[in-house]
Amino acid sequence: MTDAKRPAPSAGDARPAPAQMAGIPKGLWHKCPKCRAMLYQKELERNLRVCGSCQYHFPLSTAERIAMLADEGAFAEIDANLLPVNPLGFPDYADKLARGRAKAGQNEAFVYGDAEIAGAPVVLGVANFGFMGGSMGSVVGEKVARALERGAELGRPVVLVCASGGARMQEGMVSLMQMAKTAAACERLKAAGQLYITILTDPTTGGVWASFASLGEIIIAEPAALIGLTGPRVLEQNLKVKLPPGTHTAEFQLAHGMVDLVVHRRELRGTVTRLLTMLAPARAAAAPAVE
Amino acid sequence: MISTSRWLPFEKPLQDIDEQIRRLEEYTTTHGIDRSEKIRELREEHDALCVQIFSNLSAWDKTLLARHPNRPYTLDYIRMIFDDFVELHGDRRFGDDPAMVAGIASLQGQTVVVIGQQKGRDVKERTYRNFGSAKPEGYRKAERMMDIAERHGVPLVSFIDTPAAEGRLDAEERGISEAIASSMAHLSRLRAPVFAIVTGEGGSGGAIAIGVADHVAMLEHAIYSIMPPEGCAAILDTFGRDGSRGYQAAEALKLTAQMNLELGLVDEVVPEPFGGAHRDPLETAHRITACLRQRLPELQAIPVDALVGRRYAKFRAMGQFTAEMS
């Protein structure tokens, strides 16, 4: 819906450019887009893809994110076969989908399934910004709703890792309705007494932030993630104003009471585990008696 | 209430005839010469032209009509439709948002709770109403009204007319996204009948925030869109860079009432008088009243548990995709 493209970096902008790796043997060294430190691949991986010198959080692939949060081998994807169609016959959409598929190596911008986190069964969903900016069309909306409904039905907490430019323009109003659909499903999960955690990663904006992402019972954000309805670049362009530095970040949202925690990636799994553990008694009471 | 000086380009021929009629009528009065025959001819010409123009509007024409400066706004409809209205103010958290009006109204003896975005007519009022873009406190005021409707067992009636929710920094600081999401979530489980009508611009999240209804109607020339077509064209590289890209984006977004009905995203299109709602606001209000008088009893006849389930199922079913056979 807004900021569908990642904000372009400008001079003096603290927001990093995509990693520039020209002239460097591919895969061995990475340059931190924020502080320009050279990072050794193995070291970066050990650090969960966080820059050791400035703590910049690199984007993670879906597989990396799942590996980081879920117990090893404990993730089973569901509904991987759901594919987008072109409900409006929107020009270019088929090409953009094909490019998204090639770039992200998955069918759509969101993956979910059954998982365990420190032994606790959960429904885990992960958005992929690399697939058309993580935008929410019918398939993403449907999968998010199914993930939330699965949590309600099976009596399991739902953990959703968000990253999105917003609702997907190419599905028009059909995309916008996914906001209502997912918001309604969040209510179902809460009514079932199940824990709902959203993890906001860089960037979480537009119609995703304005629907299921901001309805998390507990909202965790990664440091410096861009979070907002309308990103600062679009605001500055449209309103011809200059915003103070640091708006629309995880820390900004924390200061204004819109997220619960800003958590460094190395503490993310631990934080989620502590919450799952401490709120387990309530879950057990709310879970359906049938097995 | 309505200025006669602001018209869209495609309305110009109609305005010219209107002006001729006015002059002939004046002539009749001042000179005592009967020109009623000519006036009748002109009226017929006017009506025929009106039918011709308004039967062939493009999505872009409709976008302009939906934003027409003379179009009736929410408070105009409230005054014309309801026989009593007590406006209520404030979200009890931060302030009162003039871009969102709310209150208790009576529709021929049926009490309803009303919410809706409000645009301004002149420069001063437009600024005061923030061009119909509500802030968090507006949506939180709307949520208060939802609670009142539920508590008192009366229907909620929502008038949608907004370019978008306010996204500026102050709105962001107070949680505009949370306010939109919370409003949708609240409506999705509200234990009261919910009726919504898009009367002008149904602009993105700011519109759907108060649009999760059992019955969603649209006025014939209203639009309901994920984004303003100009904004869509500016963001995507799909429509080139020339002056027609807003027109192209409007077509591609399928934002008209007719297309939204076809896509199954709204339930009904309420026809406007020929020439659009602004040419005959009272008739438009009568038609909305008739729609309410038909739909509200239908919704009230459904037991509230079933109603909430039905509303969930309706929005749950929206979306188009395929499942690949594995």
Side-chain angles (χ1 to χ4, degrees):
Chain A
M1 184 156 74
T2 47
D3 263 15
K5 283 179 184 166
R6 206 184 169 82
S10 60
D13 196 333
R15 297 196 53 74
Q20 301 290 313
M21 287 183 286
I24 298 159
K26 204 172 158 69
L28 213 55
W29 289 88
H30 295 271
K31 190 189 225 173
C32 172
K34 191 174 168 194
C35 74
R36 318 224 165 263
M38 294 307 294
L39 307 168
Y40 185 50
Q41 164 87 11
K42 289 246 167 78
E43 179 77 19
L44 190 57
E45 276 167 19
R46 253 198 310 279
N47 277 341
L48 302 169
R49 300 183 62 78
V50 175
C51 171
S53 74
C54 76
Q55 307 306 314
Y56 168 70
H57 285 49
F58 283 77
L60 295 182
S61 71
T62 302
E64 286 169 329
R65 179 64 71 177
I66 290 167
M68 195 212 103
L69 275 175
D71 298 348
E72 206 178 334
F75 180 79
E77 192 183 352
I78 302 169
D79 290 331
N81 62 337
L82 294 193
L83 297 177
V85 295
N86 190 354
L88 308 187
F90 202 92
D92 281 2
Y93 188 27
D95 294 346
K96 288 198 167 135
L97 284 172
R99 260 180 279 159
R101 227 171 269 141
K103 188 176 163 196
Q106 58 191 59
N107 275 340
E108 252 290 359
F110 183 82
V111 161
Y112 86 102
D114 291 330
E116 285 179 16
I117 297 178
V122 299
V123 179
L124 175 65
V126 177
N128 188 338
F129 190 78
F131 190 107
M132 289 189 74
S135 57
M136 174 163 66
S138 297
V139 171
V140 173
E142 181 68 20
K143 283 180 160 187
V144 169
R146 287 190 191 185
L148 292 160
E149 286 176 340
R150 187 169 178 84
E153 278 155 28
L154 300 180
R156 288 179 195 163
V158 177
V159 179
L160 299 184
V161 183
C162 310
S164 180
R168 187 173 294 167
M169 199 77 70
Q170 289 83 355
E171 292 187 26
M173 280 302 290
V174 182
S175 293
L176 200 75
M177 292 299 170
Q178 306 308 310
M179 291 173 67
K181 174 163 134 183
T182 57
C186 291
E187 293 304 295
R188 284 263 159 130
L189 182 70
K190 289 178 191 172
Q194 291 306 320
L195 179 59
Y196 175 36
I197 298 177
T198 53
I199 298 171
L200 314 183
T201 69
D202 185 46
T204 301
T205 61
V208 164
W209 172 228
S211 62
F212 68 90
S214 67
L215 289 171
E217 188 175 23
I218 296 173
I219 305 177
I220 301 174
E222 286 202 330
L226 174 78
I227 301 164
L229 182 66
T230 309
R233 187 184 56 117
V234 170
L235 277 185
E236 289 189 337
Q237 241 170 36
N238 292 355
L239 304 170
K240 314 270 183 275
V241 293
K242 187 91 189 95
L243 292 176
T247 66
H248 302 81
T249 60
E251 294 74 13
F252 168 93
Q253 299 293 358
L254 180 74
H256 289 96
M258 297 306 147
V259 305
D260 288 288
L261 299 156
V262 175
V263 174
H264 192 284
R265 198 174 277 166
R266 86 170 95 77
E267 285 155 17
L268 193 53
R269 182 177 144 97
T271 305
V272 171
T273 303
R274 285 156 62 206
L275 291 169
L276 287 171
T277 309
M278 287 189 280
L279 290 170
R283 279 206 314 284
V290 289
E291 183 47 58
Chain B
M1 167 177 95
I2 287 174
S3 141
T4 51
S5 60
R6 296 170 296 184
W7 303 101
L8 301 173
F10 60 82
E11 293 180 293
K12 185 74 172 58
L14 294 173
Q15 276 326 105
D16 292 345
I17 298 177
D18 280 348
E19 180 59 23
Q20 282 183 51
I21 293 173
R22 196 190 58 77
R23 275 203 220 117
L24 283 173
E25 281 171 346
E26 207 175 85
Y27 192 79
T28 305
T29 329
T30 51
H31 292 71
I33 301 165
D34 183 18
R35 303 301 308 272
S36 58
E37 185 59 29
K38 178 69 182 161
I39 291 173
R40 193 163 57 240
E41 278 171 29
L42 280 171
R43 288 222 164 100
E44 277 167 19
E45 194 187 327
H46 177 280
D47 291 350
L49 192 60
C50 203
V51 171
Q52 191 196 328
I53 293 171
F54 283 83
S55 305
N56 294 294
L57 294 173
S58 69
W60 178 248
D61 292 337
K62 294 212 177 210
T63 305
L64 297 177
L65 262 185
R67 299 171 181 163
H68 201 296
N70 293 350
R71 205 167 164 86
Y73 295 147
T74 297
L75 281 173
D76 301 325
Y77 286 123
I78 289 174
R79 282 184 205 111
M80 292 185 284
I81 291 170
F82 302 108
D83 27 70
D84 193 12
F85 176 62
V86 179
E87 189 176 350
L88 302 175
H89 295 274
D91 70 344
R92 303 293 190 272
R93 296 288 181 274
F94 176 80
D96 183 45
D97 186 354
M100 180 76 76
V101 294
I104 315 295
S106 172
L107 177 76
Q108 300 167 23
Q110 168 67 56
T111 301
V112 298
V113 175
V114 180
I115 55 175
Q117 290 100 352
Q118 178 65 31
K119 294 182 177 178
R121 195 66 64 189
D122 56 30
V123 176
K124 200 174 150 202
E125 203 203 349
R126 263 183 238 160
T127 311
Y128 174 65
R129 301 289 182 183
N130 196 29
F131 304 87
S133 286
K135 296 181 176 181
E137 48 274 21
Y139 293 103
R140 288 173 187 143
K141 171 163 71 175
E143 280 207 59
R144 270 190 63 218
M145 299 301 135
M146 294 170 200
D147 283 334
I148 292 175
E150 182 171 288
R151 217 174 287 128
H152 295 273
V154 298
L156 182 78
V157 176
S158 172
F159 291 89
I160 299 171
D161 187 15
T162 181
E166 179 54 64
R168 265 179 268 208
L169 198 58
D170 63 330
E172 190 67 50
E173 287 174 336
R174 296 196 293 278
I176 184 62
S177 297
E178 188 276 342
I180 291 170
S182 174
S183 187
M184 289 187 299
H186 200 148
L187 281 177
S188 78
R189 61 176 148 76
L190 194 73
R191 298 177 62 75
V194 185
F195 173 99
I197 179 162
V198 186
T199 58
E201 272 185 288
S204 69
I208 198 176
I210 57 167
V212 185
D214 298 304
H215 189 85
V216 181
M218 276 183 85
L219 280 181
E220 184 185 356
H221 303 311
I223 60 169
Y224 203 175
S225 183
I226 183 169
M227 203 181 190
E230 304 93 321
C232 168
I235 284 182
L236 299 182
D237 51 15
T238 310
F239 304 104
R241 288 273 158 263
D242 63 55
S244 73
R245 63 184 185 160
Y247 174 92
Q248 291 177 50
E251 290 293 327
L253 286 170
K254 307 259 191 288
L255 44 68
T256 63
Q258 297 69 28
M259 285 312 305
N260 274 292
L261 183 69
E262 209 169 288
L263 286 163
L265 306 177
V266 302
D267 302 294
E268 178 178 15
V269 175
V270 176
E272 293 182 27
F274 261 114
H278 59 293
R279 284 182 176 267
D280 197 344
L282 199 59
E283 174 59 22
T284 312
H286 285 327
R287 293 180 186 190
I288 297 174
T289 305
C291 179
L292 280 165
R293 296 271 295 160
Q294 183 191 348
R295 301 304 174 187
L296 292 184
E298 285 173 8
L299 298 177
Q300 286 172 296
I302 303 170
V304 73
D305 284 329
L307 192 68
V308 175
R310 190 174 160 269
R311 193 184 310 141
Y312 185 85
K314 175 174 128 171
F315 285 91
R316 183 68 186 79
M318 289 180 187
Q320 294 182 35
F321 51 88
T322 57
E324 188 181 53
M325 291 302 155
S326 47

